[in-house]
Amino acid sequence: MTDDLQAMDDARKTAVIDRELNSLNIDIAALQETRLPERGSLKEKHFTFFWQGKGTEDVREHGVGFAIRHILLPLIEPPTDGTERILKLRLSSMQGSVNLVCVYAPTLQASVEVKDQFYESLDAIVNNIPEVEHIYLLGDFNARVGADKDSWPTVLGHHGIGKMNENGQRLLELCCYRKLCVTNTYFQNKACHKVSWGHPRSKHWHQLDMIITKRDYLNNVCNTRSYQSADCDTDHSLVVTRVKLTPKKLHHSKRKGQPRINISKTAYREKNIEFNEKLEKILNTAHRKAEQNAQDSWNSLRNAIYSTAVLTYGRKERKNKDWFEASITEMEPVSDAKRSALVNYKHDPSQRNLQALRAARSKAQQTALRCANDYWLQLSDNIQQASDSGNIRATYEGIKQATSKSTKKTAPIKSKTENWTQPQLSIIASFHDDMKGTISYDGGASEPFPMRSGVKQGCILAPTLFVDQLHLFLPRCNRYEYETRNLNLVISGCKSEWMNQMKKIMVDVKIIIIIKFKILMSFNSINTLY
């Protein structure tokens, strides 16, 4: 986690967005103007956030990302390639692959070169998606498409709003060329549910955030509207679309386990007495029933012990609860007050409502900072007390709780085809440039000669390369041995000399590889101990 992101952690914007999206029953959300550096991911209570931005040395602006509900993570391919304005994500469904493209377009004041470059990149992404796959463009297009359905009959619906501007014409030309349509204009909603951004000076509301899909798949869209009550500390309203898509079914062989018991309360004597009394009462009631076999008796005893323990000691809570969740009773009232002030200001943008909104935001920010400070002070005191008393377990758990929130950056070692990528092969080759060797004989050594294969002794990549080659070679050994065995059966016992030699060589090779693999695993185990 970078220093800048650690400084932003107190604000906990992702926790606020996580809570708002969960309350509105959103499964996938596209985020714009994240202003986070490079590429990374962060896991919250209900959603996992992925983002793509500029480099750490560049100006902190733009940035796009996704918020994915945890239950959908096995069905997606995490975004790997993208820019600070365009990010693509693939979702597997029963209807086929669904491509979600998060977009943050240049504003009207941007230069022509920037606009041309953006729309060329967007057109290339749309062109590379197969015709049979679904596509949804989500984001802030900074464009007004208007309500002129007669001029754009295949792109706009009967319920558009406003007038078209220059950016809107660019967007409509792209949609017309690629057979796309703006779903915001196809549903009859209230006027306040058609707009998503209000001009700070003119106070006029416009439709800048849109959701675009192929016209062939327009029947899958149920509705597209904006929610003015969603409060995520932004001047744009949340635009939501309901789509008829069925996630691909996942077959899990492992049954969901039961909640764990909070065994830390077994240290209290009164809890143990209460547990014994409840369990004795349940067992006495069970003995008065009809006789059962051994299996049924054991199941009854097991269920009685577990249910009594859960009622007495309670369930085990999540260890790494952060300050936002620990202070939810204090944060909920101020968040609700801020949301109410925001709704009142949007309905009546008067000076009095503006002052009330600013006061509510200020109070929410002060409460968040105070709760975060109290949480970290209390956690630090608990770690210090555990350390002073010699409680190593509590000290370790406290440190783990304090450092559990971290940024997970996606940097795959291999490509999706299980092969090394070209940049990685170049890096590996650079470690072995100008590699030379000598041959010792009769107490002397030969002249150095260049070596064009193998790995340099002491190279830090040697274990990784060895394990990778082992992973590729062992299946081949098994396949060759299986083919050799089958060929033996075909010959009907007539074993030729070359067949015996081949089997002997393959067995020797497998024995050598297994010995080397065991030595490597032992060496790694020693490293983990020290």
Side-chain angles (χ1 to χ4, degrees), residues 47-60:
F47 290 83
T48 299
F49 292 82
F50 301 92
W51 68 81
Q52 175 71 49
K54 288 188 174 183
T56 55
E57 303 296 333
D58 298 329
V59 179
R60 192 69 60 82

Side-chain angles (χ1 to χ4, degrees), residues 108 119 141-146 152 155-156 163-175 210:
L108 195 63
Y119 282 100
F141 289 87
N142 282 311
R144 290 183 289 171
V145 295
W152 308 91
V155 180
L156 298 179
K163 298 181 179 180
M164 181 182 65
N165 61 1
E166 179 188 356
N167 286 357
Q169 184 175 357
R170 286 175 176 266
L171 180 61
L172 291 175
E173 290 175 356
L174 173 65
C175 294
M210 285 167 279

Side-chain angles (χ1 to χ4, degrees), residues 115-342:
K115 295 179 183 179
D116 293 340
Q117 182 181 3
F118 167 79
Y119 282 100
E120 288 175 1
S121 302
L122 184 60
D123 180 73
I125 290 178
V126 175
N127 185 37
N128 291 333
I129 296 176
E131 290 288 336
V132 296
E133 295 185 2
H134 295 245
I135 178 174
Y136 293 91
L137 305 181
L138 323 165
D140 181 9
F141 289 87
N142 282 311
R144 290 183 289 171
V145 295
D148 190 4
K149 176 179 170 52
D150 297 332
S151 301
W152 308 91
T154 61
V155 180
L156 298 179
H158 293 279
H159 306 287
I161 190 172
K163 298 181 179 180
M164 181 182 65
N165 61 1
E166 179 188 356
N167 286 357
Q169 184 175 357
R170 286 175 176 266
L171 180 61
L172 291 175
E173 290 175 356
L174 173 65
C175 294
C176 185
Y177 181 67
R178 293 299 176 185
K179 299 179 181 180
L180 303 174
C181 60
V182 182
T183 62
N184 305 58
T185 62
Y186 282 84
F187 301 96
Q188 185 176 4
N189 295 311
K190 295 181 180 179
C192 62
H193 295 161
K194 296 181 181 180
V195 294
S196 61
W197 178 77
H199 197 280
R201 291 191 299 273
S202 64
K203 307 301 181 182
H204 292 167
W205 285 79
H206 305 285
Q207 186 185 66
L208 302 183
D209 305 86
M210 285 167 279
I211 298 174
I212 301 173
T213 186
K214 289 182 179 179
R215 189 172 180 84
D216 297 336
Y217 300 121
L218 185 60
N219 293 333
N220 294 334
V221 182
C222 301
N223 188 18
T224 302
R225 53 159 291 189
S226 60
Y227 284 81
Q228 305 294 342
S229 61
D231 178 25
C232 296
D233 284 337
T234 175
D235 56 345
H236 287 250
S237 300
L238 179 67
V239 178
V240 178
T241 183
R242 304 290 178 182
V243 183
K244 293 184 292 185
L245 289 176
T246 305
K248 184 176 289 186
K249 294 182 180 179
L250 298 177
H251 302 280
H252 299 284
S253 59
K254 185 178 179 181
R255 187 176 60 182
K256 186 178 181 180
Q258 295 177 330
R260 296 186 178 183
I261 302 171
N262 188 6
I263 61 175
S264 61
K265 293 185 179 180
T266 56
Y268 300 101
R269 185 171 178 272
E270 57 274 10
K271 288 288 184 180
N272 296 334
I273 296 175
E274 181 184 354
F275 172 75
N276 293 332
E277 292 176 354
K278 290 182 178 180
L279 182 60
E280 185 177 359
K281 185 183 295 184
I282 294 176
L283 294 179
N284 291 335
T285 306
H287 284 316
R288 289 196 292 268
K289 294 182 179 180
E291 293 185 359
Q292 300 176 343
N293 55 29
Q295 185 64 33
D296 294 339
S297 300
W298 161 245
N299 292 336
S300 300
L301 178 61
R302 180 192 59 192
N303 296 335
I305 294 175
Y306 177 78
S307 59
T308 307
V310 171
L311 291 175
T312 306
Y313 301 113
R315 297 182 178 182
K316 186 177 181 181
E317 297 180 355
R318 190 164 65 98
K319 290 183 178 181
N320 57 342
K321 181 183 291 186
D322 60 8
W323 70 264
F324 188 84
E325 297 176 0
S327 308
I328 192 64
T329 55
E330 297 186 46
M331 291 297 300
E332 268 190 342
V334 294
S335 299
D336 294 340
K338 186 176 65 168
R339 185 185 297 105
S340 301
L342 177 64

Side-chain angles (χ1 to χ4, degrees), residues 79-117:
T80 55
D81 297 327
T83 64
E84 69 276 6
R85 289 191 178 274
I86 302 175
L87 189 63
K88 189 181 76 169
L89 179 141
R90 283 171 64 90
L91 173 69
S92 299
S93 68
M94 299 300 293
Q95 291 80 8
S97 298
V98 180
N99 297 272
L100 306 176
V101 183
C102 181
V103 177
Y104 177 60
T107 60
L108 195 63
Q109 291 77 19
S111 61
V112 178
E113 293 78 12
V114 174
K115 295 179 183 179
D116 293 340
Q117 182 181 3

